[in-house]
Amino acid sequence: MNIQVISSVNEARTDDLQHKTVIVIDVLRATSTILRALDAGCSQVIPVETVNQAKSLHRPGELLGGERFCKKIPGFDLGNSPLEYTSELVDGKTIIFTTTNGTRAIQKASKAGHILIGGMLNAEACARKAAMLYGDIVMLCAGTQDVFSLEDGLCAGLLIEELLKLQAEGLIRSAAGTGGGSLTVDDFGLVMLQAYRHVRGNLEGALLSGVGGKRLSRIGFHDDVVYCAQVSILDQAPVVRNGRLEAGMSLPL
Amino acid sequence: MNIQVISSVNEARTDDLQHKTVIVIDVLRATSTILRALDAGCSQVIPVETVNQAKSLHRPGELLGGERFCKKIPGFDLGNSPLEYTSELVDGKTIIFTTTNGTRAIQKASKAGHILIGGMLNAEACARKAAMLYGDIVMLCAGTQDVFSLEDGLCAGLLIEELLKLQAEGLIRSAAGTGGGSLTVDDFGLVMLQAYRHVRGNLEGALLSGVGGKRLSRIGFHDDVVYCAQVSILDQAPVVRNGRLEAGMSLPL
């Protein structure tokens, strides 16, 4: 099983993602918010690219969520802060969701065999699900405006670390469809793994040192960065199916 | 002073390099070989993009060096192995040099304010020179066929580490042209720095784990990888001027 890490949405060629298991990573904050929303009991998240798409899909009783320029969109119920997505507000609800980079990355992966949602928050669950699916793994770092983001790269490194643990336990899918397969990691993934191993003792500090973490801190979302830096606190491994995301636990292994 | 790291030649936009100090990095092996050739006493290296350009520029008494597909080019005097470039062969000579990725990266930087040649071999000298030049720094990782190479990224991390040391000593050029300036590193550079710090105790092992290191080892160039993994053994900080490279010591600070 090959693992490739792509540095930002712009670097991904749709055709290269065909038949692959694509893990979309936007730690600050789209994929972290989606994971939190599903964990808080929302029935589904529908990611869309534009504000107009979101508004035209929206039906009474559903919630509109997302951001432009890090801020809540006028007329929307919720922004892109994972901490807003409490059980009280989202339990049982459908959320139509649009962000600048994260939902665009999900759209870009539309031809993939499987699309998973990855973050620090669900690293173990996400890796477990990817390990047993058919197809090589592509980690698609959303980045910010087509530029690589430190937190997405470090999350890719963390996911590779989790996959290596599964390999050691014989839990990577082999060509025969059973366990016992092995992993090959590309150069970009290897460097992300090395960087993750260097900062694993202080992920929060690492995230706060990046451009995105600094910006969010400056405009009042310091707590979001701290929240999103937590590793494997959610047992969610949601998959995009027919353009929708539903809560999914990691597969039984 | 801003530091930006670009992951491969394809990612660089020529106009973005204008007025910048561009450090071209192709650890395996073009920039390492150029550094070694200059240290061995060759009078100049002329990097060119194509084999035909090299042949048409070539005059009696000059040497032709370079590779295609990691192998010496038919009719050339030397390949792309730094260990071939001994004083006995190259002292006092002009070398016309072409490789698949490294010399293309040098051409790509043609609009830069300054073009420096970087490798593990001359990290300290290269950083010292870049620190006192006018202009922000762009580290252009050559990569392999437009794909990021681990060893180039780790070298960028090493160069950033050397620049941070100079910052601590007050030796980064300020806007006023004196020392005392400060550095800002982009997210990609920060992750390369973290990765470098993780593997600094065993750079040779790290280089041998990458795609390029493995390939070179397999086809008989294991000693090249070991050689190119050495840090700051050469006090060379060559600059490209009028398309030519001459030996240059680091600037007096």
Side-chain angles (χ1 to χ4, degrees):
Chain A
M1 190 177 264
N2 297 306
I3 301 177
Q4 181 192 4
V5 179
I6 298 181
S7 61
S8 71
V9 178
N10 209 31
E11 297 309 301
R13 279 172 295 202
T14 312
D15 286 346
D16 291 348
L17 305 179
Q18 264 192 307
H19 311 305
K20 307 276 174 67
T21 296
V22 176
I23 304 178
V24 175
I25 302 171
D26 186 3
V27 172
L28 296 177
R29 299 168 288 171
T31 57
S32 299
T33 299
I34 290 170
L35 292 166
R36 161 85 173 197
L38 290 166
D39 200 67
C42 84
S43 63
Q44 59 177 349
V45 176
I46 305 177
V48 298
E49 271 192 275
T50 69
V51 173
N52 280 338
Q53 277 177 301
K55 287 181 174 170
S56 66
L57 267 179
H58 180 252
R59 296 286 170 270
E62 296 177 350
L63 297 172
L64 285 166
E67 57 77 28
R68 285 299 179 270
F69 311 107
C70 302
K71 302 253 172 76
K72 195 170 93 167
I73 298 161
F76 273 42
D77 304 291
L78 294 155
N80 189 27
S81 168
L83 299 177
E84 289 179 74
Y85 289 69
T86 58
S87 297
E88 291 68 38
L89 288 177
V90 307
D91 189 41
K93 299 280 176 65
T94 287
I95 302 170
I96 325 273
F97 190 67
T98 181
T99 71
T100 318
N101 306 292
T103 55
R104 198 158 67 89
I106 294 171
Q107 302 295 328
K108 188 93 176 199
S110 59
K111 288 194 181 177
H114 306 277
I115 308 172
L116 307 186
I117 298 299
M120 306 280 185
L121 298 173
N122 74 332
E124 188 184 337
C126 180
R128 288 175 85 85
K129 183 163 258 184
M132 287 308 281
L133 290 172
Y134 182 81
D136 290 331
I137 296 172
V138 176
M139 299 185 187
L140 177 52
C141 297
T144 305
Q145 310 286 7
D146 295 327
V147 173
F148 171 80
S149 288
L150 167 143
E151 63 275 6
D152 296 340
L154 292 176
C155 184
L158 161 60
L159 288 166
I160 292 168
E161 187 76 290
E162 292 295 329
L163 285 159
L164 291 172
K165 279 189 213 162
L166 295 171
Q167 176 179 253
E169 292 169 37
L171 295 177
I172 297 294
R173 184 189 169 105
S174 67
T178 59
S182 66
L183 299 169
T184 307
V185 183
D186 75 351
D187 272 18
F188 197 78
L190 286 177
V191 171
M192 295 304 124
L193 175 64
Q194 292 159 354
Y196 164 72
R197 286 177 172 170
H198 187 70
V199 300
R200 67 192 313 161
N202 182 14
L203 276 178
E204 185 183 311
L207 263 60
L208 287 166
S209 75
V211 170
K214 278 185 188 157
R215 185 194 311 115
L216 286 171
S217 244
R218 204 168 47 233
I219 62 173
F221 293 111
H222 180 272
D223 291 351
D224 278 6
V225 183
V226 173
Y227 178 77
C228 295
Q230 298 174 98
V231 173
S232 300
I233 60 163
L234 304 181
D235 191 28
Q236 293 285 333
V239 173
V240 182
R241 277 202 194 91
N242 303 318
R244 284 147 198 267
L245 281 152
E246 290 169 21
M249 310 307 265
S250 52
L251 287 181
L253 291 174
Chain B
M1 189 179 264
N2 296 306
I3 301 177
Q4 180 191 6
V5 179
I6 297 180
S7 61
S8 72
V9 179
N10 210 30
E11 296 309 302
R13 281 173 293 201
T14 311
D15 286 345
D16 291 349
L17 305 180
Q18 263 191 309
H19 312 306
K20 306 274 174 69
T21 296
V22 176
I23 304 177
V24 176
I25 302 170
D26 186 3
V27 172
L28 295 178
R29 297 170 286 171
T31 57
S32 299
T33 299
I34 289 170
L35 292 167
R36 162 85 172 195
L38 290 167
D39 200 67
C42 83
S43 63
Q44 59 177 351
V45 176
I46 304 177
V48 299
E49 271 192 275
T50 70
V51 174
N52 281 338
Q53 278 178 299
K55 287 181 173 168
S56 66
L57 267 179
H58 179 252
R59 298 286 170 270
E62 296 178 347
L63 297 172
L64 284 166
E67 56 77 29
R68 286 296 180 272
F69 311 107
C70 302
K71 303 251 172 76
K72 194 170 95 168
I73 298 160
F76 273 42
D77 304 291
L78 295 154
N80 189 26
S81 169
L83 300 176
E84 290 179 73
Y85 288 70
T86 59
S87 297
E88 292 69 37
L89 289 176
V90 307
D91 189 40
K93 299 280 178 64
T94 287
I95 302 170
I96 324 271
F97 190 66
T98 180
T99 69
T100 318
N101 306 292
T103 55
R104 200 159 65 89
I106 294 171
Q107 302 296 329
K108 187 91 177 201
S110 60
K111 288 194 180 176
H114 308 276
I115 307 172
L116 306 187
I117 298 298
M120 306 279 186
L121 298 173
N122 74 332
E124 188 183 338
C126 181
R128 289 176 84 83
K129 183 163 262 185
M132 287 308 281
L133 290 173
Y134 182 80
D136 289 332
I137 297 172
V138 176
M139 300 187 186
L140 178 52
C141 298
T144 306
Q145 310 288 5
D146 296 327
V147 173
F148 170 80
S149 287
L150 168 142
E151 62 276 6
D152 296 341
L154 292 176
C155 184
L158 161 59
L159 288 166
I160 293 168
E161 188 76 292
E162 292 294 332
L163 284 160
L164 290 173
K165 279 188 213 163
L166 295 171
Q167 176 179 252
E169 293 168 35
L171 296 175
I172 298 295
R173 184 189 170 102
S174 66
T178 59
S182 66
L183 298 169
T184 306
V185 184
D186 75 351
D187 272 18
F188 196 75
L190 287 177
V191 171
M192 295 304 121
L193 175 64
Q194 292 158 354
Y196 164 71
R197 286 178 172 171
H198 187 70
V199 300
R200 67 194 310 163
N202 182 14
L203 275 178
E204 184 182 312
L207 262 60
L208 287 166
S209 74
V211 169
K214 278 185 188 156
R215 185 194 312 115
L216 286 171
S217 242
R218 203 167 50 234
I219 62 175
F221 293 112
H222 179 272
D223 291 351
D224 278 6
V225 182
V226 173
Y227 177 78
C228 296
Q230 298 175 97
V231 173
S232 301
I233 61 164
L234 304 180
D235 190 29
Q236 292 286 332
V239 173
V240 183
R241 278 205 193 88
N242 303 318
R244 286 147 196 266
L245 280 152
E246 291 170 22
M249 310 308 264
S250 52
L251 288 182
L253 291 175

